[in-house]
Amino acid sequence: MEPGSSEKSTAGAEIDESLYSRQLYVLGHEAMKRMGSSNVLIAGLKGLGVEIAKNIALAGVKSLTLFDPSPATIADLSSQFFLHQDDVGKPRAEVTVPHVAELNAYTPVSLHPASSLTSDLALLRRYQVIVLTATPLRDQLTIAEFCHENGIYVIIADTFGLFGSIFADFGTNFTVVDATGEDLVTGIIASIDQDGLVTALDETRHGLEDGDFVTFSEIEGMDKLNNADPRKVIVKGPYTFTIGDVSGLGEYKRGGVFTQTKMPKFINFESLEQQLKKPTLLISDFAKFDRPQKLHIGFQALHAFADGHDGKFPRPHNEADSDSLLKIAKDIVATSGDNVELDEKLIRELSYQAQGDLSPMAAFFGGLAAQEALKAVSGKFNPIEQWLYFDSLESLPSNSTRSEENCKPLGSRYDGQIAVFGKEFQDKLSNVNEFLVGAGAIGCEMLKNWAMLGLATGPKGKISVTDMDAIEKSNLNRQFLFRPRDVGKLKSDCAAEAVQVMNPDLRGKIVTLRDEVGEETEHVFDESFWEELDGVTNALDNVKARTYVDRRCVFFNKPLLESGTLGTKGNTQVVLPRLTESYSSSHDPPEKSFPACTLRNFPNKIEHTIAWARDVFEAFFAQQPETVNLYLTQPNYVQNTLKQSGNEKATLQSIRDYLVTEKPLSFEDCIIWARHQFEAHYNNSIQQLLYNFPKDSTTSSGAPFWSGPKRAPNPLKFDARNKTHLSYVIAAANLHAFNYGINSKGVSEDQYRTVLSNMIIPEFSPNPGVKIQANDSDPDPNAKPSRSGFDDNKELEDLVNSLPAPQSLAGFRLKPVEFEKDDDTNHHIDFITAASNLRAENYSIATADHHRTKFIAGKIIPAIATTTALVTGLVILEFYKIVDGKTDIEQYKNGFVNLALPFFGFSEPIASPKGKYLSKSGEVTVDKLWDRFEVSDTPLTEFLKYFEEKGLTITMLSSGVTLLYANFYPSSKLKDRMPLKLSDLVATVSKKPIPSHQKNVIFEVTAEDQTGEDVEIPYVMVKLDK
């Protein structure tokens, strides 16, 4: 069955890009159009069901229908974030629908029109996807069989305490349009031999895998390969692959580009009844390879137990119930005839936790199940085949009591959590002081989970949350605590208020801030602030801020929970004092950059032209206006600043153009300026390039110059009827007018064309004196020797003299543009799209639309609510362990997930590095990351003596960039320093007083131990007398 098939046609469906922009970069327009034609039913509205509903509503489908007539209980509030105390006793779905409907105006939400799903199965035909949670197994079988026979996709998910499962059945011949969601691989060909072996150019890794398909274009010689049917790839090495038989296609001469093609994948799913007997299991944790089969039996046993106990699952830590469950499980194994070796301890734990209802498990499986539902209707990404079981038994407390008495229900909103962890652990959670850095997508999910946990609701509890950003419309698609009415308000304030509504116990327990956490705010987040914390959770979107928070956590010995998402990918990291390495211990690869020569003159793919257009945007509308303003405001700007820049002529010409020769007086002048820029960049510069390097030119070795990555360009002739040509002029004219404060409102396209038709553009003649650098490795032919001044340079003097005196323009300033990618009315992305696509036309490169250009130029991080929810769930499962105080590194897990594949990988955190030195009393082991020497503010003489007593001879002492002591300093230099207190020593030598809010000073030391060898020892923290 085709994914997303429904009665309604998707033709012409409009997608609100301002709302869905980040998700569109994950799913794409076609997948979202299919989603927009799909009707989804979710049954069961406890924590898991509402999590799935929230994620699907945010993603956007044609309609979302909810079913759960059961009355809400107080225990539901452990994870059902849309239920309140006064909803207890009311039908769950009825009170949940209005809250889910608020999430997305494009997704209508309603109640299923029946009191039972199985009473009238024909009603289910209106849905393309049915998601079952908290549903008895007998009903699951009835509904799933009906769905399998009628082409309805079904997903079944359940959580029991720290255990969970998901099952998917998408019928027979289900089509996966794009299994991975990864960008298509493309590359330039160096050669193709007669055996079909393709070699990539210049040993560039091709990035293909066995089984991929590729098409070819621009090949000379084997012309029949161009635009032919896709060829299947067999990888021979990182730079080579074969494409099968190429006989009869001629002999390869040169050139060519290969492009990966996504081929549809077809999957046949079995019914639930078949899969219960012979399950196809996806492994969620390879350290627990044999556990899914045992849980498959255990979950069936739980349903059988509930059938015999009026729908109720085993009581927390009740031994009689666990005995019953174990017997049922053994009977299932015996009846099935499968040789499954049951783990008695595991089955008993499943019994103990069966009534548990945990927010992070709902978040994990809610993200997963929602993503599977979206896969079903869109055909985007590989679905789960067909079962996945997951548990986090490592999260169970080892330092708190768990017993029937301690885990019994108390008539509390936390009963679902107490059932698993016990009342003693619940009290621990309520008295935590935690710092959340960031209140965006992950921050919202984190706060929601914390509210359900009852975190910081006790007498000593406190949550601090900071975020400097205001809410934007594009945030609403995944930052679910915000509503349209909140746009423009502070994220931290709105998020905190929303979760206090979810759990009123948090009233007065959340402190909101609007400050960025960094060196410039250390007076806000001072030593007292950090020392009071129990831990820190990052919800950030940039490496710089993450690294700073990480360093502070190491300094103050605080545990840190780190996480991030990128589309369907997510990762989690636990940073534990004296146990693990920190976030900063490993580094992401540097951001990819393009050679300057490639951008200037030799682009060969759209990313090159977009990067070039982005640079032109900054130069035209931001950097050059800023330079003009510096000239107008800084005394002696030319003499004091310009002569040191090495770019005097270009800067002076720019100032002259903006203030004299090209200064517009009207919007018509801005249109004329824009048209001249078109001519300069897309005609004149290309003609000059082809004059310097004609299309038939060769290199010194005799090879064609225009070959391989160098594509020969063609000049463009301006045509006002061409949409891209006119778009460039409109965007450039409006931005230029913005710089000068000229009104550009209300100008029609016809008025632009009228101005353009009256212009006379002079013919261009190439300049024989212009030199162009052919390769980045070549010396720049235009480089000039540096000089100390330019007073004797006549050309520069003339330029300076042509400038108006700054005082003659008193009060006049240009208004530089600040790039903003998410405002579609400001012409920023319009200009970059047109400028890039025109250059792409110059070089015969496939163009990119506004949407893709915005993604690349704006360096947008693709995001979807499903991944965010799941990753946050994993973070909370590690948070439980930190609150418990676990010190065994093997109990912790760093995670990496990719919901598209789907893939789950967990690993033990890497231990922090250790070092050794020989002291007077023997060998000493130190933690290179977490250890430090803490000393009082003593005189330098006492400080050196302190280390001598430890068997360490200090050879150098520094603080920051200031060297304070070295054993090779002459005694005359040391005489005045030795009696000084360390704080006075720093202030005296650096000539900078220590800030008043600072309570510590860090010193770096080099030392020799008893062997006389240099040893690596920790830094020194000196506590100031404040």
Side-chain angles (χ1 to χ4, degrees):
M1 182 175 178
E2 279 296 313
S5 60
S6 74
E7 297 169 13
K8 181 183 173 184
S9 167
T10 61
E14 288 294 321
I15 296 172
D16 186 345
E17 291 192 8
S18 63
L19 175 67
Y20 291 119
S21 66
R22 304 307 187 263
Q23 180 176 290
L24 274 166
Y25 295 120
V26 181
L27 299 175
H29 282 81
E30 286 307 310
M32 283 202 59
K33 284 179 181 177
R34 292 190 194 106
M35 286 159 49
S37 297
S38 303
N39 305 299
V40 180
L41 169 68
I42 298 171
L45 270 301
K46 293 177 121 181
L48 175 57
V50 77
E51 187 72 46
I52 299 167
K54 177 257 292 180
N55 292 328
I56 292 177
L58 290 171
V61 291
K62 180 182 178 184
S63 76
L64 181 60
T65 306
L66 306 183
F67 172 83
D68 191 340
S70 300
T73 67
I74 189 69
D76 293 342
L77 273 62
S78 294
S79 62
Q80 221 284 26
F81 45 83
F82 282 150
L83 289 181
H84 302 106
Q85 195 101 15
D86 54 5
D87 294 325
V88 172
K90 299 175 185 176
R92 286 196 199 103
E94 190 178 300
V95 294
T96 303
V97 162
H99 297 290
V100 177
E102 267 196 325
L103 294 170
N104 189 346
Y106 296 105
T107 301
V109 184
S110 60
L111 284 168
H112 181 68
S115 58
S116 163
L117 288 181
T118 54
S119 60
D120 186 356
L121 292 174
L123 284 175
L124 303 182
R125 295 182 193 275
R126 65 180 67 182
Y127 307 112
Q128 280 71 53
V129 183
I130 294 174
V131 184
L132 302 178
T133 74
T135 304
L137 182 57
R138 62 180 180 279
D139 289 352
Q140 291 179 18
L141 283 163
T142 302
I143 295 164
E145 192 62 33
F146 178 83
C147 291
H148 191 78
E149 291 173 356
N150 287 275
I152 302 167
Y153 311 127
V154 67
I155 297 158
I156 303 170
D158 276 308
T159 64
F160 301 100
L162 289 164
F163 297 92
S165 74
I166 185 169
F167 167 79
D169 172 11
F170 296 169
T172 55
N173 206 32
F174 176 76
T175 305
V176 180
V177 179
D178 179 357
T180 67
E182 298 295 332
D183 288 340
L184 295 175
V185 174
T186 184
I188 300 169
I189 298 165
S191 66
I192 306 176
D193 69 12
Q194 290 302 307
D195 297 321
L197 182 72
V198 181
T199 304
L201 182 76
D202 289 341
E203 293 196 344
T204 303
R205 290 176 180 268
H206 52 65
L208 297 167
E209 296 178 3
D210 281 346
D212 284 344
F213 284 79
V214 294
T215 56
F216 297 91
S217 59
E218 302 180 27
I219 293 174
E220 293 182 29
M222 289 185 175
D223 297 52
K224 290 182 180 177
L225 266 182
N226 292 329
N227 305 313
D229 290 339
R231 292 276 189 135
K232 192 172 184 179
V233 165
I234 298 175
V235 173
K236 292 299 182 182
Y239 312 105
T240 55
F241 59 91
T242 59
I243 54 170
D245 183 18
V246 294
S247 58
L249 298 179
E251 186 174 343
Y252 175 84
K253 292 181 181 177
R254 67 171 188 170
V257 174
F258 68 84
T259 303
Q260 182 189 13
T261 301
K262 297 281 180 84
M263 302 295 284
K265 173 183 174 182
F266 304 98
I267 303 173
N268 286 316
F269 287 82
E270 292 183 338
S271 69
L272 175 62
E273 187 175 15
Q274 292 171 296
Q275 279 286 304
L276 279 173
K277 297 170 185 172
K278 298 284 183 185
T280 305
L281 298 164
L282 176 68
I283 304 300
S284 64
D285 187 343
F286 288 95
K288 305 172 182 177
F289 191 79
D290 60 346
R291 193 168 291 179
Q293 185 69 55
K294 296 169 183 177
L295 289 177
H296 188 67
I297 301 297
F299 274 49
Q300 291 177 68
L302 275 179
H303 283 287
F305 180 99
D307 272 350
H309 292 79
D310 196 25
K312 290 185 170 56
F313 291 108
R315 290 163 290 179
H317 278 268
N318 183 280
E319 293 304 328
D321 286 358
S322 75
D323 289 341
S324 298
L325 189 72
L326 186 60
K327 183 180 183 305
I328 295 170
K330 288 177 178 177
D331 290 345
I332 292 172
V333 172
T335 305
S336 69
D338 288 337
N339 188 24
V340 177
E341 188 178 335
L342 280 182
D343 181 336
E344 180 176 331
K345 186 179 177 184
L346 183 71
I347 300 299
R348 288 193 183 279
E349 194 60 65
L350 185 57
S351 176
Y352 296 157
Q353 298 185 37
Q355 291 191 19
D357 187 7
L358 301 177
S359 178
M361 291 298 289
F364 180 89
F365 279 96
L368 193 54
Q371 189 66 61
E372 292 306 302
L374 300 180
K375 291 176 186 179
V377 296
S378 69
K380 184 79 178 248
F381 308 137
N382 208 50
I384 290 173
E385 299 180 63
Q386 287 187 245
W387 293 93
L388 179 138
Y389 288 90
F390 171 81
D391 72 82
S392 183
L393 293 184
E394 303 82 12
S395 297
L396 288 172
S398 50
N399 297 309
S400 299
T401 307
R402 294 171 67 231
S403 63
E404 187 167 8
E405 176 62 25
N406 201 249
C407 296
K408 69 181 181 184
L410 303 173
S412 150
R413 66 174 295 135
Y414 309 115
D415 278 357
Q417 188 163 251
I418 290 170
V420 179
F421 294 97
K423 179 66 169 65
E424 190 180 324
F425 186 79
Q426 184 64 42
D427 291 341
K428 272 190 179 181
L429 280 169
S430 71
N431 287 298
V432 167
N433 183 345
E434 190 77 6
F435 182 27
L436 178 65
V437 190
I442 289 177
C444 282
E445 292 289 337
M446 205 68 69
L447 283 169
K448 174 259 290 179
N449 276 279
W450 288 357
M452 297 299 98
L453 265 60
L455 184 74
T457 54
K460 297 178 182 176
K462 180 181 175 184
I463 293 171
S464 301
V465 55
T466 190
D467 196 309
M468 62 187 295
D469 289 341
I471 297 162
E472 300 174 1
K473 186 179 178 182
S474 65
N475 300 150
L476 304 180
N477 173 238
R478 63 202 182 283
Q479 299 176 20
F480 89 106
L481 296 180
F482 308 140
R483 301 290 178 268
R485 62 180 175 270
D486 297 323
V487 170
K489 298 177 184 175
L490 275 178
K491 287 184 177 180
S492 54
D493 288 346
C494 291
E497 180 55 35
V499 295
Q500 287 173 88
V501 171
M502 288 178 176
N503 184 356
D505 292 352
L506 277 172
R507 290 279 176 207
K509 297 293 182 178
I510 304 180
V511 176
T512 61
L513 301 107
R514 58 168 62 189
D515 303 283
E516 184 177 11
V517 183
E519 291 178 5
E520 60 282 354
T521 56
E522 286 183 3
H523 62 289
V524 178
F525 305 104
D526 56 16
E527 274 95 341
S528 297
F529 175 86
W530 287 95
E531 285 164 359
E532 288 174 1
L533 296 174
D534 292 314
V536 181
T537 301
N538 266 352
L540 292 161
D541 62 0
N542 68 90
V543 172
K544 181 184 175 185
R546 282 184 167 119
T547 303
Y548 176 81
V549 174
D550 176 68
R551 290 202 313 267
R552 298 304 273 174
C553 287
V554 170
F555 181 78
F556 290 104
N557 273 261
K558 302 297 177 184
L560 170 66
L561 287 162
E562 175 60 65
S563 59
T565 68
L566 181 69
T568 59
K569 298 168 187 165
N571 68 281
T572 64
Q573 181 183 1
V574 193
V575 178
L576 301 163
R578 302 188 59 78
L579 283 180
T580 72
E581 67 175 17
S582 76
Y583 171 80
S584 307
S585 300
S586 57
H587 300 282
D588 291 331
E591 190 175 319
K592 188 177 180 181
S593 60
F594 302 117
C597 237
T598 301
L599 294 186
R600 274 198 304 267
N601 296 305
F602 308 112
N604 58 63
K605 53 186 179 181
I606 196 66
E607 288 81 359
H608 295 157
T609 66
I610 292 173
W612 175 86
R614 181 77 171 82
D615 288 345
V616 170
F617 173 91
E618 284 295 324
F620 276 173
F621 310 117
Q623 292 165 358
Q624 291 175 8
E626 283 168 0
T627 300
V628 170
N629 287 346
L630 288 174
Y631 169 75
L632 294 173
T633 58
Q634 285 191 1
N636 303 316
Y637 173 76
V638 173
Q639 288 72 21
N640 296 340
T641 306
L642 207 49
K643 63 184 177 185
Q644 298 166 10
S645 70
N647 198 24
E648 302 89 344
K649 183 178 176 182
T651 305
L652 288 170
Q653 286 174 333
S654 172
I655 295 171
R656 179 202 61 195
D657 292 346
Y658 276 75
L659 290 180
V660 184
T661 56
E662 296 177 1
K663 182 182 178 184
L665 299 175
S666 65
F667 186 62
E668 185 173 314
D669 290 342
C670 295
I671 298 172
I672 293 168
W673 175 87
R675 172 66 181 87
H676 282 302
Q677 299 311 316
F678 178 100
E679 199 68 17
H681 283 101
Y682 305 110
N683 180 26
N684 301 356
S685 65
I686 301 300
Q687 286 195 49
Q688 182 68 56
L689 182 62
L690 291 172
Y691 175 84
N692 285 57
F693 304 110
K695 289 190 176 183
D696 59 357
S697 58
T698 57
T699 65
S700 56
S701 63
F705 178 84
W706 295 106
S707 63
K710 287 188 170 70
R711 304 172 69 87
N714 292 296
L716 297 183
K717 183 175 177 59
F718 183 81
D719 181 357
R721 295 165 299 178
N722 182 297
K723 185 178 178 182
T724 308
H725 293 204
L726 187 62
S727 294
Y728 176 89
V729 170
I730 291 172
N734 275 274
L735 290 166
H736 199 55
F738 177 89
N739 286 151
Y740 287 90
I742 294 172
N743 181 25
S744 60
K745 303 290 184 193
V747 181
S748 68
E749 287 191 5
D750 285 343
Q751 287 172 287
Y752 283 98
R753 291 192 180 95
T754 300
V755 174
L756 294 168
S757 64
N758 291 329
M759 289 181 65
I760 298 173
I761 305 297
E763 286 291 320
F764 175 77
S765 298
N767 183 349
V770 170
K771 299 173 183 176
I772 297 175
Q773 188 177 0
N775 297 288
D776 274 288
S777 56
D778 296 345
D780 184 353
N782 299 302
K784 296 176 183 177
S786 59
R787 53 181 181 269
S788 57
F790 54 81
D791 293 326
D792 57 343
N793 189 305
K794 183 70 169 64
E795 186 179 9
L796 290 176
E797 282 184 9
D798 290 345
L799 274 172
V800 172
N801 292 332
S802 71
L803 302 179
Q807 54 267 35
S808 70
L809 293 168
F812 176 79
R813 301 286 183 276
L814 292 184
K815 188 175 181 182
V817 165
E818 291 184 22
F819 177 62
E820 173 48 62
K821 58 187 176 291
D822 286 320
D823 180 358
D824 288 338
T825 67
N826 64 12
H827 300 286
H828 295 191
I829 296 298
D830 292 344
F831 174 83
I832 294 169
T833 302
S836 166
N837 285 340
L838 290 170
R839 191 162 175 82
E841 286 180 35
N842 280 141
Y843 287 87
S844 303
I845 297 168
T847 58
D849 62 12
H850 184 278
H851 179 69
R852 177 155 176 77
T853 303
K854 175 178 171 179
F855 175 63
I856 297 171
K859 297 181 180 178
I860 289 175
I861 299 172
I864 189 167
T866 50
T867 314
T868 307
L870 184 147
V871 163
T872 308
L874 290 177
V875 172
I876 300 293
L877 293 173
E878 297 306 304
F879 180 65
Y880 282 140
K881 303 172 188 177
I882 292 174
V883 174
D884 182 49
K886 293 184 191 299
T887 56
D888 180 2
I889 195 172
E890 294 181 2
Q891 296 296 305
Y892 291 91
K893 290 180 181 291
N894 289 343
F896 176 78
V897 300
N898 186 342
L899 298 189
L901 303 179
F903 170 82
F904 303 86
F906 298 97
S907 61
E908 181 184 308
I910 297 172
S912 52
K914 306 297 189 288
K916 294 177 180 178
Y917 70 86
L918 188 64
S919 73
K920 288 180 177 178
S921 55
E923 192 173 72
V924 177
T925 300
V926 293
D927 190 306
K928 292 182 179 180
L929 178 62
W930 295 96
D931 274 342
R932 64 183 175 225
F933 295 101
E934 293 189 11
V935 300
S936 57
D937 191 10
T938 60
L940 179 56
T941 48
E942 296 297 320
F943 178 82
L944 298 175
K945 192 183 297 181
Y946 169 82
F947 281 94
E948 286 289 350
E949 290 169 359
K950 290 183 174 292
L952 293 168
T953 302
I954 302 297
T955 54
M956 279 195 288
L957 173 70
S958 62
S959 181
V961 296
T962 308
L963 184 61
L964 305 169
Y965 167 85
N967 61 354
F968 54 77
Y969 277 177
S971 55
S972 58
K973 188 170 187 175
L974 293 174
K975 185 176 70 172
D976 293 334
R977 297 188 181 188
M978 296 300 270
L980 291 177
K981 277 188 170 185
L982 293 168
S983 59
D984 294 332
L985 180 63
V986 172
T988 302
V989 178
S990 68
K991 296 182 173 58
K992 291 179 184 175
I994 296 169
S996 58
H997 66 268
Q998 193 171 319
K999 295 181 180 179
N1000 306 298
V1001 181
I1002 301 304
F1003 293 82
E1004 292 79 32
V1005 292
T1006 57
E1008 296 173 354
D1009 67 359
Q1010 294 296 287
T1011 64
E1013 297 293 322
D1014 284 341
V1015 288
E1016 193 176 341
I1017 62 172
Y1019 67 90
V1020 180
M1021 185 181 85
V1022 173
K1023 296 180 178 179
L1024 303 180
D1025 303 324
K1026 290 189 178 181

